Structures are given as structure tokens and as C-alpha cells.
Amino acid sequence: METSLKTDPDFREIIEYEKHAAPEHSHRGKTTESFLDKKAVLSALGVQRGQTVLDAGCGGGYMSRVFSELVGPEGRVYALDSDEQSLAALKTQTAGTNMIVVVGDITVNTGLLSSSFDLIYLSNVVHGFNPRQIPGFREEVTRLLAPGGRLAVVEIVKRATPFGPPMEQRVSPEELRSLLGLLPLSTHDAGEYFYVQLLGKSGDR
């Protein structure tokens, strides 16, 4: 039996984009971020002034800007993405602020300082990793997190939705925890179509 999905006008642009999206999982231009409950996400993250945050796979940097305001002038936000074109405008617009724009890939050594991040945030990125990238991602996150630091992963739910990756690419919170092998902390709803999973380094317990 085929599931019928509502296709509101707001969804059509995203659906069309995802049909033609490159396999490299580039998210330039179109985004599902507008359907996230950002208040719920920020409540789960509990970002504090003075913290150092890494927004990995930041795209145009919407959440990086939010984090920048929350950590204040005492804190730092690193906006990381492998797409130089997505970062070009962000770098110009945030020059002289507490935001540092970095071209890089979180699944390999980024060259960023070890044990320096209170929070590493990825939104709708992990499901695009291939199996060969997961060990490198886990290793780099473990290297970068400060003692007591947290990894926050936002992903689309693993059920029929009006947009999103194929079901075989999606991961449930349980699958995500097993896949990453990090210390599970908590899981939170992030709107009708998303959840946020918080994890830490196993050695922190």
C-alpha cells in the first residue's frame, strides 16, 4: 500500500531539489532547516556564553550566527563546511566577529585544536556519510571535544515525510547511537520531522 504524502507549496521546492541533488550531499541553496523547531533544538543544546562551538556542515551558516550570539564575545564559533562557495559570503559577512569560517571535512582531521570544543553540531549531515567516513568522523569528534563536551546530531525521522533522503539512508536515534559508538546522553524532538541526539565521549563518564 502506497503512502500518500501531503505536498504543501513550501515542500515542493525542497522535493524538486532533492530529486536532483548531487551524491556528494551538497546542500547549497535549498535547505530543510526552515522546518526545524529551532527553539526546541536550542533548548536541548543549552549553549552558554563563553563556550566554543563547532557547526560542522554549516552551509550558509544560519545556526552558526545563532550560536555566535549565544556564546557572546567571550566565546567562539567555528563554521565548518567543505563547500567553499557556501562559505564565501559567510566569511565576508562575519569578518571581525567571534565566528571563524573554516573550509574542511569533519570526517577527516580538520586541523582544529584538540579538546577545544564544548559543542559540535551537525544538522542533516550524518545520514549523507558513507560507511567509510563514519570511523573518521567518530575519531575526529572524539579528538575535538573538550572534557564534558557534547556532540549534537540533528536528523530527519525514520518514517514517511514530505521531504528528505531515501528511507535506507535515514537513521533512527537508536541506530545513530549504535553507529557512532559514543556515549548517549539524551534524545529530543526537534519538530514534526526531526530529532536531536546528544552524545559525549565515553571516557567522560
Side-chain angles (χ1 to χ4, degrees), residues 54-124:
L54 173 60
D55 184 3
C58 67
Y62 173 84
M63 287 300 286
S64 297
R65 297 173 194 270
V66 175
F67 295 146
S68 174
E69 293 182 9
L70 292 173
V71 301
E74 309 96 326
R76 291 288 180 272
V77 174
Y78 287 74
L80 177 83
D81 203 287
S82 59
D83 187 343
E84 295 186 47
Q85 187 173 331
S86 290
L87 295 180
L90 183 64
K91 189 169 186 176
T92 299
Q93 294 162 4
T94 59
T97 70
N98 64 351
M99 193 183 304
I100 300 156
V101 178
V102 181
V103 177
D105 180 355
I106 191 66
T107 67
V108 296
N109 192 304
T110 57
L112 298 173
L113 188 63
S114 297
S115 304
S116 57
F117 290 95
D118 300 296
L119 175 71
I120 297 175
Y121 175 83
L122 292 91
S123 182
N124 296 305

Side-chain angles (χ1 to χ4, degrees), residues 124-198:
N124 296 305
V125 173
V126 172
H127 72 257
F129 293 161
N130 65 53
R132 297 185 304 278
Q133 292 175 300
I134 294 297
F137 171 65
R138 181 170 56 239
E139 182 178 341
E140 184 62 357
V141 164
T142 301
R143 185 184 73 82
L144 292 175
L145 282 176
R150 296 165 304 150
L151 168 67
V153 176
V154 173
E155 279 295 334
I156 195 165
V157 293
K158 193 170 183 178
R159 58 174 168 77
T161 55
F163 56 84
M167 201 62 63
E168 62 270 18
Q169 280 190 319
R170 304 187 193 195
V171 286
S172 67
E174 297 78 14
E175 290 169 335
L176 183 66
R177 294 193 291 266
S178 176
L179 184 68
L180 298 183
L182 297 169
L183 177 67
L185 298 175
S186 57
T187 308
H188 308 262
D189 290 333
E192 185 178 357
Y193 306 116
F194 301 93
Y195 67 88
V196 55
Q197 176 69 55
L198 296 177

Side-chain angles (χ1 to χ4, degrees), residues 19-36:
K19 285 179 181 177
H20 302 97
E24 290 82 5
H25 194 62
S26 173
H27 43 70
R28 187 188 309 141
K30 308 298 186 295
T31 178
T32 58
E33 291 286 314
S34 60
F35 298 103
L36 266 178

